[in-house]
Amino acid sequence: MSSTLVKLISECFIKPLGELSPEAKQPIHFTPFELAWLNFKYSQRGLLFRKPPSPDCFSITTFLNHLQHSLSATLTHFYPLASRFATRKQENPPSYVIYLDPENSPGAKFIYAKAGATVSDVLDPPDVPLLVHSFFDLNNAICYDGHTLPLLSIQVTELVDGIFIGCSFNHMVTDGTSLWHFMAAWSEIFRSGGQSVSRPPVFKRWVLDGYDPIINLPYNHQDQFIERFENQTFKERFFSFSSTAISKLKATANSECNTHKISSLQAVIALLWRCITRARCLPHDCEITCSLMFSTRARLNPPLSDDYFGNPVHIVGGKATVGDLLAHGLGWAAFRLHEAVINHDDKAIKEEVESWIKSPVIYKRIHLFGANLVRAASSPRFDMYGCEFGLGKALAVRSGCTNKCDGKITMHPGREGGGSMDVEVCLLPEYMKNIQSDQELMSYLMID
């Protein structure tokens, strides 16, 4: 296995092209959506590509230079990713304000590494190999560390026959929507050789009416709210649902509830909620939760632009006892999730934000990774496979080791498109063993 070890070759920092405008140098203040995530670890997503078969068709030096130049041009538009956090404190009156300071702009980190592994070493094992975790940087960083660490780190790992581009990004600065917006812009500039993007990001902060855009946290020192925890190792496996299977899941869930409101995503998550619960063999009176992390952009009134750059996410969830969840059908579980999402409308979001402003809470591990939880993140609606860098369509999307827990499910579009989905499921080893023989799950995975 020593040949698969990842070896660091070089690293540097990439800055935006040219000087920032006076407007772009102004502090960017975090919203309540974002400040709650100070203890969250950096999120990690990456794309695996196959190298051209002939060495005459590919130069790693030329490729890296092109990546770096296009990244610099992209950061000109997404300049907050090159900057760092700052904290302004005063004692009288007490004040503790964390913000993003674009004038402090050391750049995004860019790493080149090599591994003796092949594409098959990544894709062929039934479980995601631990090797994949070494394709990412900043494995132990939390969002608060953006004061001193880069807000974005790109690690390009050259395999024997492939290239992996891994992104570690500060989740206070970007959610999944903003990450894939950035990746699409980088891909666009890489392919065009230009410096402009078709969808410029929007940095103007959302502010709750009647409240100061500058949030003053009720602390005197970081030790009052910072919590660090080690990454745990779980079994991670991808389950692929064809577009036909997704259609059948959605139709079944809606038919059982005599409705047409349940979405494909809600149906898939409901299926996995039921299957993971069975795999855990919990008592029937045990209460369980399935939570969904989702963007509030479209749910606010007026809605935020899809190009709004930030982390305007909330968490909602459906609850049930094990007995109820398993005694009822797929549709019953899916409708619990549907109701949780629908009820979290503009009024509910703003009430939650107002409550947070009056009594700020910085999430800790117990808030994020509770017991008997199924947590869904990311979205099959993100155009992950549209991000190309001269190597054709990516072979796969993978994530790193951060923010993993037993019951975490990460949603991706299927590579073949057409409404298919690939779901990364993270479980304790004994539960992963159990879920592989779950008849309900396997019945849908077998549909082509």
Side-chain angles (χ1 to χ4, degrees), residues 30-39 96 98 172 206 208 211-219 225 313-314 348-364 367:
F30 292 114
T31 68
F33 293 125
E34 294 148 353
L35 287 167
W37 298 91
L38 279 161
N39 286 321
Y96 196 103
I98 298 175
M172 279 177 61
W206 177 83
L208 183 63
Y211 286 88
D212 194 325
I214 301 176
I215 304 294
N216 180 23
L217 297 173
Y219 305 111
F225 60 89
V313 298
H314 265 181
I349 293 169
K350 289 175 179 176
E351 286 177 351
E352 189 171 318
V353 169
E354 185 174 35
S355 175
W356 191 95
I357 293 173
K358 292 177 179 178
S359 182
V361 174
I362 308 302
Y363 293 142
K364 295 195 174 182
H367 299 122

Side-chain angles (χ1 to χ4, degrees), residues 318-377:
K319 293 185 178 182
T321 64
V322 172
D324 282 341
L325 183 69
L326 300 184
H328 295 87
L330 171 72
W332 187 89
F335 201 74
R336 301 283 83 70
L337 302 179
H338 170 76
E339 286 184 319
V341 173
I342 291 299
N343 291 337
H344 207 69
D345 56 10
D346 176 74
K347 182 175 181 289
I349 293 169
K350 289 175 179 176
E351 286 177 351
E352 189 171 318
V353 169
E354 185 174 35
S355 175
W356 191 95
I357 293 173
K358 292 177 179 178
S359 182
V361 174
I362 308 302
Y363 293 142
K364 295 195 174 182
R365 184 173 179 82
I366 192 171
H367 299 122
L368 300 170
F369 309 119
N372 303 327
L373 180 71
V374 172
R375 165 152 292 174

